[in-house]
Amino acid sequence: MKALNIIESAYRATIEEQDDTIVWLTHALKGGRRQSRSPIARQRRQLCCASAERGRARFRRLAPDAPAAYPRPHCPLIAKGVAVYVLAQDLAQRGLDAGDLVPGLERVTRERFPGLFAAHDQIWHW
Amino acid sequence: MAERKTLTFALMDTPYESARTTTALRLIDIATRRGYAVNVFAYEGAVMLPFSRQQPHRNAVRGRNVEEENHLLTKDVVAALMEMAARNGGKLDWVNCGLCVDERGVGEAIEGVRRGSPADLWKLVEASDNTLVIGTR
């Protein structure tokens, strides 16, 4: 079975998380050697942009040891063989081009959505 | 009688902060009334929905005591949905993400809730006719 995860916002789970929650979930599923999935879809700057860096929250001496730092130097999800798509229109709206992104992302347009959806058994819109 | 489906819901929102939780519970209610087999994978804040230590409270603004306020607790809703499912020949299998439970300290869940992992989500999905994700916004 193949599932397409659509992720609309990065790091939504606030400071207690050290990864984006759905990216983490996808890693966990992929690590479990389940059948292939093609997670992620919509572009989000912090998830896909090579220069993205999440500031480390700190409260006196309390701070996460491993704050989320996707995707540097490369997106580990892509390295695991997961297809990661970004929405071309969202990139354009934010003034991002291919040079701003981590390698291996596949750009898709809204017009390709129906075909992309049809190529998957389930669509999970997080 | 129509075929009894198996549906999986992946929930992510906390109990009282979003109408999305109410909508999710209403959809599960419909499915259990129809005798469907329903799976729920509760992720992140949604693991608090069946937290057994939820307590009703009075409403000082309205001048109502605990009984008059009749606070609707999500743990009671989950229990009622499980009961409804069983009564109609279906089943509600509620799986709480274990890591999400631990980091929130909400390990005490009502009877019938089990602890699981992303691998359980995948198993539930594979055994279902369809899946609905209701994530946090």
Side-chain angles (χ1 to χ4, degrees):
Chain A
M1 191 188 77
K2 292 175 69 176
L4 177 69
N5 285 299
I6 300 177
I7 303 177
E8 286 210 19
S9 63
Y11 310 124
R12 78 189 82 185
T14 69
I15 59 171
E16 50 88 12
E17 289 298 337
Q18 299 181 7
D19 293 312
D20 175 81
T21 51
I22 308 308
V23 173
W24 182 90
L25 182 73
T26 305
H27 270 286
L29 292 172
K30 188 69 175 175
R33 301 191 185 283
R34 307 288 160 203
Q35 277 301 305
S36 64
R37 296 148 289 284
S38 295
I40 304 201
R42 291 193 74 183
Q43 173 270 346
R44 277 293 166 237
R45 180 178 183 277
Q46 285 197 306
L47 279 181
C48 301
C49 192
S51 62
E53 184 168 1
R54 186 187 183 208
R56 177 182 296 208
R58 179 179 296 279
F59 304 91
R60 296 178 67 89
R61 288 170 300 179
L62 300 175
D65 287 334
Y70 281 107
R72 297 176 304 160
H74 298 287
C75 178
L77 205 54
I78 296 174
K80 282 186 174 180
V82 174
V84 181
Y85 305 95
V86 294
L87 182 58
Q89 286 94 336
D90 277 0
L91 293 176
Q93 285 176 352
R94 288 157 181 79
L96 298 170
D97 58 32
D100 298 314
L101 305 176
V102 294
L105 296 171
E106 185 174 343
R107 293 158 62 104
V108 294
T109 61
R110 288 198 177 90
E111 293 71 28
R112 275 194 58 199
F113 272 10
L116 192 61
F117 289 179
H120 292 79
D121 301 299
Q122 295 202 2
I123 312 299
W124 300 354
H125 189 175
W126 296 95
Chain B
M1 176 179 284
E3 182 189 358
R4 295 197 170 184
K5 303 281 188 183
T6 298
L7 303 176
T8 292
F9 293 82
L11 309 181
M12 206 171 164
D13 274 323
T14 52
Y16 306 112
E17 276 70 25
S18 167
R20 300 170 65 80
T21 299
T22 308
T23 299
L25 294 173
R26 292 179 69 184
L27 291 172
I28 295 168
D29 176 59
I30 293 169
T32 56
R33 285 177 189 276
R34 294 181 181 178
Y36 290 1
V38 178
N39 304 313
V40 173
F41 184 79
Y43 190 50
E44 300 295 354
V47 297
M48 292 187 281
L49 290 166
F51 182 47
S52 64
R53 293 180 64 183
Q54 293 175 11
Q55 293 289 328
H57 57 70
R58 68 189 183 94
N59 187 334
V61 172
R62 301 291 185 187
R64 295 195 286 255
N65 61 29
V66 173
E67 288 74 27
E68 291 166 336
E69 179 70 2
N70 193 24
H71 200 119
L72 182 66
L73 302 175
T74 56
K75 67 169 183 176
D76 296 332
V77 174
V78 173
L81 291 173
M82 288 179 171
E83 184 184 332
M84 174 78 72
R87 192 188 313 156
N88 291 319
K91 183 184 177 187
L92 174 55
D93 184 11
W94 189 291
V95 180
N96 265 353
C97 163
L99 299 179
C100 309
V101 163
D102 291 344
E103 64 194 7
R104 288 166 177 79
V106 291
E108 299 161 72
I110 63 168
E111 188 176 345
V113 171
R114 62 187 178 98
R115 179 186 173 96
S117 71
D120 293 290
L121 169 62
W122 195 255
K123 289 176 189 170
L124 296 175
V125 167
E126 284 191 312
S128 299
D129 293 288
N130 215 332
T131 304
L132 178 62
V133 168
I134 301 181
T136 295
R137 288 287 180 273

